[in-house]
Amino acid sequence: MSHMLRSVDLVAMLPPELAANYNGTAVQRERVLHCLRLAGPAGVLGPELARVCNVPSITKRISELRRDGAEIDTEAGHVVAADGSVSACACYVLRSAGDLQADLFA
């Protein structure tokens, strides 16, 4: 999980069509997939992905993407709160980024 993109970097890289005000589940899935592609093998922590992509239920969107054929791995991650406490969370990594990126240029 080294070299993980910061959430501010991910937000800045969202294309305008994914940064629109409408927040339906299809747009949420597109945002999640886009951010996972950007993150590459470093992956993105679940809480960061949910915040950056404006997704109230990241586990549902990940499940839907997997159902649609995306190969997304879940790895162990952790977040450190302001008070220093540590909480476990998921880190999502898009395994088949190369295959899915071909769709962008088709």
Side-chain angles (χ1 to χ4, degrees):
M1 289 191 314
S2 61
H3 309 299
M4 192 175 301
L5 290 173
R6 296 175 313 157
S7 57
V8 67
D9 296 329
L10 288 172
V11 170
M13 289 188 243
L14 281 176
E17 65 272 13
L18 297 181
N21 289 332
Y22 176 70
N23 197 36
T25 57
V27 172
Q28 290 176 24
R29 284 190 297 273
E30 289 178 38
R31 283 190 206 120
V32 168
L33 197 53
H34 184 80
C35 285
L36 289 173
R37 284 181 180 131
L38 289 173
V44 183
L45 294 174
E48 283 296 302
L49 194 57
R51 189 178 64 74
V52 167
C53 296
N54 193 18
V55 176
S57 181
I58 193 66
T59 55
K60 285 183 182 180
R61 298 301 86 84
I62 293 292
S63 176
E64 293 161 357
L65 286 166
R66 286 176 174 150
R67 183 193 63 219
D68 292 343
E71 295 181 18
I72 301 170
D73 291 332
T74 302
E75 299 178 355
H78 67 275
V79 291
V80 180
D83 66 359
S85 61
V86 178
S87 298
C89 68
C91 178
Y92 297 106
V93 180
L94 183 62
R95 186 170 0 127
S96 58
D99 298 335
L100 291 173
Q101 284 180 344
D103 294 343
L104 294 174
F105 304 103

